[in-house]
């Protein structure tokens, strides 16, 4: 058997698909977890956590989950809005007065969460040390001019997303977003999920590896790549670079747009907490809050001409779309580079997460097949052409 853990009766098809990822789809090390109705029904892990040493994947293994950091930040913002502390449609400058410069006066938190704010990056060149110091990034974003009229076009705000919403969180709570998440959500739920990984977790960290045949990165001069790499300071993929995504220097800092570290179970628990509550506890976000989050707001070809990959965005969440078919219109999700994926759905009462250390190519089917199997397990409608 290529994995450890368990799956409740009725979820054997999901466990079989997890095994097929190892047997047929080149899996190295991976984990998957599922909650239904607030109760864990699947918890699986297996394979190799570190291909250099042969260290095995354990139940407590964590790994970089890239842009799933945006889910952590988004849920934090929605929680503050639900508590009446943040108006998602008010200008950021209401909370962060220094931001109201150079045509940014009308940018709202919702625009950032929908990737339409017009500032997908800070164009001022910063060093890695400045990126990890927080304040230099915030000052650079204050100086940045929007590249288009805010709210009128879509471009993925790869790292700016986390710093922009994160600074609003800091102004409201006194905590940077990683610290606020732990204080407000993560610690109470016992999540192995962080933005700013504790140094004591380094020995339990899985090492990312590139998939064979992965397409080369486009030109580093393209806007989406500049946004992804913070103008070349963060290598991508460049996983083993001193500042790459296998580096504790990056992962123990706060990169709130793409620097989260988590276990699959941590992410699945978080999404289940949003969708239903966990183990009889209250929902983290209400039905009305989720209804607001899943209203379609953006997607399609980007402002810079990057092709439409099929993703459609609500307020800080990926919604059911050609990019990834989920369970239905109440599904809310996020992906992370290389194949990491998590979603919740309050109609079907689901929290799901899949994490893997062999990064996938564009045609990667590992998460797709797991979601297809889960769809059958929970009785969601079949989706023509979707995995499973």
């Amino acid at each position: 058997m290529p994995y450890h853990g368990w799956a409740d009766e009725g979820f054997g098809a999901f466990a079989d698909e997890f095994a097929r990822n190892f047997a047929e789809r080149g899996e190295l090390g991976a984990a998957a977890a599922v909650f239904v109705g607030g109760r864990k029904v699947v918890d699986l892990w297996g394979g190799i956590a570190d291909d250099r040493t042969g260290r095995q994947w354990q139940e407590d293994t964590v790994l970089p989950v890239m842009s799933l950091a945006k889910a952590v930040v988004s849920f934090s913002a929605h929680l503050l809005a639900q508590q009446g502390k943040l108006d998602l449609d008010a200008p950021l400058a209401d909370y962060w007065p220094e931001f109201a410069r150079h045509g940014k006066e009308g940018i709202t938190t919702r625009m950032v969460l929908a990737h339409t704010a017009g500032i997908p990056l800070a164009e001022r060149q910063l060093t890695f040390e400045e990126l990890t110091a927080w304040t230099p990034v915030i000052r650079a974003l204050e100086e940045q001019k929007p590249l288009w009229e805010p709210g009128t076009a879509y471009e993925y705000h790869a790292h700016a997303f986390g710093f922009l919403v994160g600074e609003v969180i800091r102004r409201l709570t006194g905590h940077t977003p990683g610290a606020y998440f732990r204080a407000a959500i993560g610690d109470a739920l016992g999540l192995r999920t962080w933005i700013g990984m504790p140094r004591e977790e380094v020995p339990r960290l899985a090492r990312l590896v590139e998939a064979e045949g992965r397409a080369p990165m486009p030109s580093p001069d393209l806007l989406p790549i500049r946004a992804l790499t913070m103008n070349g300071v963060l290598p991508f993929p460049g996983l083993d670079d001193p500042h790459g995504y296998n580096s504790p220097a990056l992962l123990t800092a706060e990169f709130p747009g793409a620097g989260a570290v988590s276990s699959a179970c941590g992410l699945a628990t978080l999404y289940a907490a949003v969708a239903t509550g966990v183990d009889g506890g209250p929902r983290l976000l209400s039905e009305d809050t989720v209804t607001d989050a899943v209203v379609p707001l953006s997607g399609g070809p980007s402002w810079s001409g990057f092709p439409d990959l099929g993703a459609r965005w609500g307020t800080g969440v990926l919604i059911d779309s050609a990019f990834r078919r989920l369970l239905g219109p109440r599904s809310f999700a996020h992906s992370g580079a290389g194949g990491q994926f998590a979603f919740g759905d309050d109609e079907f009462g689901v929290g799901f997460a899949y994490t893997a250390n062999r990064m996938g190519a564009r045609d990667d089917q590992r998460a797709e097949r797991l979601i297809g199997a889960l769809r059958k397990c929970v009785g969601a409608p079949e989706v023509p052409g979707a995995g499973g």
Side-chain angles (χ1 to χ4, degrees), residues 48-121:
I48 304 298
D50 190 329
D51 65 320
R52 299 168 302 179
T53 65
R55 175 166 55 90
Q56 297 290 301
W57 199 291
Q58 304 293 330
E59 185 176 5
D60 65 351
T61 295
V62 294
L63 77 165
V65 294
M66 307 296 203
S67 283
L68 275 154
K70 294 182 180 68
V72 171
V73 171
S74 295
F75 293 152
S76 298
H78 279 293
L79 180 62
L80 288 167
Q82 184 172 281
Q83 294 169 343
K85 299 174 182 176
L86 170 61
D87 181 349
L88 298 177
D89 296 306
L92 266 69
D94 284 5
Y95 312 101
W96 175 7
E98 301 89 338
F99 186 73
R101 287 188 266 170
H102 309 306
K104 302 193 301 297
E105 294 83 355
I107 291 176
T108 67
T109 303
R110 195 182 301 276
M111 289 178 190
V112 180
L113 291 168
H115 302 274
T116 65
I119 41 176
L121 80 166

Side-chain angles (χ1 to χ4, degrees), residues 69-246:
K70 294 182 180 68
V72 171
V73 171
S74 295
F75 293 152
S76 298
H78 279 293
L79 180 62
L80 288 167
Q82 184 172 281
Q83 294 169 343
K85 299 174 182 176
L86 170 61
D87 181 349
L88 298 177
D89 296 306
L92 266 69
D94 284 5
Y95 312 101
W96 175 7
E98 301 89 338
F99 186 73
R101 287 188 266 170
H102 309 306
K104 302 193 301 297
E105 294 83 355
I107 291 176
T108 67
T109 303
R110 195 182 301 276
M111 289 178 190
V112 180
L113 291 168
H115 302 274
T116 65
I119 41 176
L121 80 166
E123 294 185 292
R124 180 157 67 85
Q125 190 69 51
L126 299 166
T127 66
F128 181 81
E129 290 70 26
E130 287 174 321
L131 293 178
T132 62
W134 190 269
T135 299
V137 184
I138 301 310
R139 296 291 172 263
L141 289 168
E142 290 170 356
E143 297 167 7
Q144 180 67 35
K145 296 179 180 179
L147 301 185
W148 63 86
E149 183 182 347
T152 64
Y154 161 76
E155 186 83 46
Y156 189 64
H157 287 44
H159 285 282
F161 178 109
F163 285 105
L164 290 166
V165 181
E167 179 65 5
V168 171
I169 291 171
R170 192 187 72 81
R171 297 286 176 128
L172 286 170
T173 70
H175 297 292
T176 53
Y180 173 74
F181 168 73
R182 292 304 308 184
I185 301 171
D187 287 345
L189 291 172
L191 302 183
R192 293 185 53 70
T193 304
W194 301 273
I195 297 174
M197 174 184 66
R199 290 193 175 274
E200 58 266 27
E201 292 295 332
V202 171
R204 287 173 283 278
L205 187 67
R207 178 177 178 269
L208 297 175
V209 300
E210 275 293 308
E212 293 181 7
R214 187 172 168 88
M217 288 291 287
S219 167
D221 296 328
L222 291 175
L223 176 63
I225 307 306
R226 290 170 52 226
L228 184 66
T229 64
M230 299 289 274
N231 280 324
V233 179
L234 302 179
F236 194 86
L239 299 172
D240 293 317
D241 183 278
H243 300 152
Y245 281 90
N246 281 327

